[in-house]
Amino acid sequence: MTLIEIVAGVFMSAIMLAVLILIVKLIRDTRETMKNKRNNRD
């Protein structure tokens, strides 16, 4: 029982970490896209 709980906890942590990385990537891509649009306008 305890082993299953530990595995579930690790699995949840891994998912949270993956989601966090995806969000950071998305924010970076959005910032770069905004920068490129500003540069193209000028």
Side-chain angles (χ1 to χ4, degrees):
M1 193 72 179
T2 315
L3 187 68
I4 292 165
E5 283 176 15
I6 290 165
V7 170
V10 170
F11 193 63
M12 287 283 284
S13 296
I15 289 168
M16 290 289 277
L17 193 70
V19 169
L20 195 71
I21 289 165
L22 282 171
I23 290 166
V24 169
K25 265 190 177 180
L26 192 74
I27 290 166
R28 271 192 192 164
D29 288 348
T30 306
R31 275 188 182 173
E32 282 198 9
T33 306
M34 284 176 79
K35 269 187 191 175
N36 290 342
K37 278 184 181 175
R38 277 185 196 152
N39 290 344
N40 289 344
R41 279 182 189 167
D42 293 339

